[in-house]
Amino acid sequence: MSKIHAAITAVHGYVPDYILTNQELETLVDTNDEWIVSRTGIKERRILKGEGLGTSDMAVPAVNGLLKKRGISAEEIDLVIFCTTTPDMPFPATANILANKIGAVNAWGFDLQAACSGFIFGLTTGAQFIENGKHKKVLVVGGDKMSSIINYEDRATCIIFGDGCGAVLLEPNTDGYGIMDSILKSDGAGAQYLHQKAGGSVKPATHETVEAREHFAYQEGPAVFKFAVTNMADVAHEVMERNALSADDVAWLVPHQANKRIIDATASRTGLSADKVIINIERYGNTTNGTIPLCLWEWESKFKKGDNLILAAFGGGFTWGSIYLKWAY
């Protein structure tokens, strides 16, 4: 019997309409367009505006677009894995909220939290259920409403993050396409450099925590950059080396869109030329769990069946990882 791989058979994305430009940020914090672009590569990012709208509201159009493309109904989905750092609420899982909104009445689901590496961790997790024959259709969603945890008076974070969501469908493939290998890593010693101080069980919400603005993302930029620039590049190189892939063998590098300099370092480490590197950070910024699926969505028409793709990410935790997959359509 041929080995079962978990193949991506459809992808779709959604970004909100509102565009937050560097010029607008200049009116909020002490920064300027040249400074932001030179350090991050970001020119604008999307923001989800509107009362009562959360991460699941971006996932609905992304998933509905995917279902339409694949020509299937939501009832056929077996499992929903929602990779997010900004769930609609602490509980229940946003995966359950999404399943209800789209009518995935036969699916069970859960949220996966690994900060910016979440989508790669979720893709690998979803693949297990396909590979072991348990499920036939697994929906992996990556999305964040980062604007809900960003302090727009903090120059270190507000220039980086945006809102967006993407989704992929995993199905069994016996023709040698799909997720071939993955390397996932984490190191909790990095928690101090990138976290949200309050709102968890250690420091529940109080008047004081709100006044101290502790319900926002906190980042020590230099420490995070130093760790990310090495580890994201190394793990991408490691997965290529383990599968005897040269730069010539790889069609596309799909890097987490955290910072243009980190992306460039990863491309350099893997030996991939700029024309093989997928970048949309200039338009969307860092959408955390949304970056990689949004890249797949935007470049979908350029992928050819059998293309070797290397996905790589780095996030809070610290978490990092890489996936080698063969595009299936």
Side-chain angles (χ1 to χ4, degrees), residues 205-222:
T206 63
H207 283 296
E208 290 75 23
T209 63
V210 173
E211 281 164 14
R213 305 182 81 72
E214 290 181 340
H215 294 264
F216 296 117
Y218 166 80
Q219 172 169 286
E220 278 185 39

Side-chain angles (χ1 to χ4, degrees), residues 201-252:
S201 60
V202 170
K203 205 171 191 183
T206 63
H207 283 296
E208 290 75 23
T209 63
V210 173
E211 281 164 14
R213 305 182 81 72
E214 290 181 340
H215 294 264
F216 296 117
Y218 166 80
Q219 172 169 286
E220 278 185 39
V224 174
F225 178 84
K226 186 180 169 190
F227 207 90
V229 82
T230 311
N231 286 282
M232 186 166 132
D234 283 352
V235 78
H237 179 258
E238 189 183 341
V239 85
M240 283 173 61
E241 200 169 48
R242 194 157 88 174
N243 291 278
L245 294 169
S246 70
D248 291 338
D249 298 323
V250 176
W252 300 98

Side-chain angles (χ1 to χ4, degrees), residues 7-301:
I8 293 174
T9 57
V11 57
H12 206 71
Y14 173 83
V15 290
D17 295 331
Y18 188 87
I19 297 171
L20 175 59
T21 63
N22 288 351
Q23 286 71 27
E24 186 177 345
L25 282 174
E26 287 175 12
T27 68
L28 302 175
V29 288
D30 179 22
T31 191
N32 62 71
D33 177 64
E34 192 279 324
W35 191 88
I36 297 171
V37 173
S38 65
R39 277 161 183 78
T40 67
I42 303 166
K43 292 176 180 165
E44 57 189 47
R45 64 291 290 146
R46 301 298 182 101
I47 305 294
L48 182 64
K49 298 275 192 180
E51 195 65 37
L53 295 177
T55 303
S56 72
D57 294 292
M58 294 186 289
V60 169
V63 173
N64 282 337
L66 176 152
L67 295 173
K68 189 178 175 186
K69 257 186 205 169
R70 190 73 184 108
I72 63 168
S73 73
E75 286 96 16
E76 294 176 60
I77 297 168
D78 299 308
L79 167 62
V80 178
I81 301 176
F82 205 130
C83 313
T84 186
T85 299
T86 52
D88 283 11
M89 49 188 81
F91 72 93
T94 308
N96 305 146
I97 295 168
L98 173 65
N100 180 56
K101 285 182 175 180
I102 62 172
V105 293
N106 297 309
W108 66 287
F110 59 90
D111 290 358
L112 189 149
Q113 157 60 308
C116 295
S117 306
F119 184 76
I120 278 190
F121 283 25
L123 211 51
T124 308
T125 303
Q128 310 308 308
F129 292 94
I130 297 290
E131 289 168 12
N132 67 20
K134 182 85 176 165
H135 292 321
K136 293 283 185 277
K137 288 178 171 59
V138 174
L139 182 67
V140 183
V141 182
D144 275 293
K145 182 186 175 183
M146 289 305 292
S147 60
S148 67
I149 58 165
I150 292 301
N151 176 2
Y152 285 93
E153 293 175 6
D154 176 11
R155 185 175 72 165
T157 55
C158 75
I159 64 169
I160 298 166
F161 295 97
D163 302 341
C165 185
V168 301
L169 185 68
L170 292 177
E171 295 187 80
N173 184 289
T174 52
D175 298 323
Y177 302 106
I179 294 171
M180 311 308 287
D181 196 12
S182 62
I183 299 172
L184 309 178
K185 298 177 184 256
S186 61
D187 180 3
Q192 60 183 309
Y193 303 114
L194 185 52
H195 61 268
Q196 182 180 314
K197 291 183 192 302
S201 60
V202 170
K203 205 171 191 183
T206 63
H207 283 296
E208 290 75 23
T209 63
V210 173
E211 281 164 14
R213 305 182 81 72
E214 290 181 340
H215 294 264
F216 296 117
Y218 166 80
Q219 172 169 286
E220 278 185 39
V224 174
F225 178 84
K226 186 180 169 190
F227 207 90
V229 82
T230 311
N231 286 282
M232 186 166 132
D234 283 352
V235 78
H237 179 258
E238 189 183 341
V239 85
M240 283 173 61
E241 200 169 48
R242 194 157 88 174
N243 291 278
L245 294 169
S246 70
D248 291 338
D249 298 323
V250 176
W252 300 98
L253 173 67
V254 192
H256 168 55
Q257 309 285 304
N259 180 302
K260 177 71 163 60
R261 291 184 294 163
I262 295 170
I263 294 170
D264 290 345
T266 305
S268 173
R269 182 84 172 87
T270 54
L272 290 165
S273 54
D275 59 334
K276 289 183 170 188
V277 183
I278 296 179
I279 299 176
N280 59 16
I281 191 171
E282 74 282 356
R283 286 178 289 122
Y284 302 140
N286 180 352
T287 55
T288 302
N289 285 278
T291 60
I292 288 174
L294 285 172
C295 283
L296 294 174
W297 170 52
E298 289 206 322
W299 264 259
E300 180 189 22
S301 64

Side-chain angles (χ1 to χ4, degrees), residues 295-316:
C295 283
L296 294 174
W297 170 52
E298 289 206 322
W299 264 259
E300 180 189 22
S301 64
K302 294 185 172 74
F303 298 154
K304 296 183 187 73
K305 188 173 182 175
D307 274 358
N308 290 322
L309 273 60
I310 299 294
L311 282 50
F314 177 90

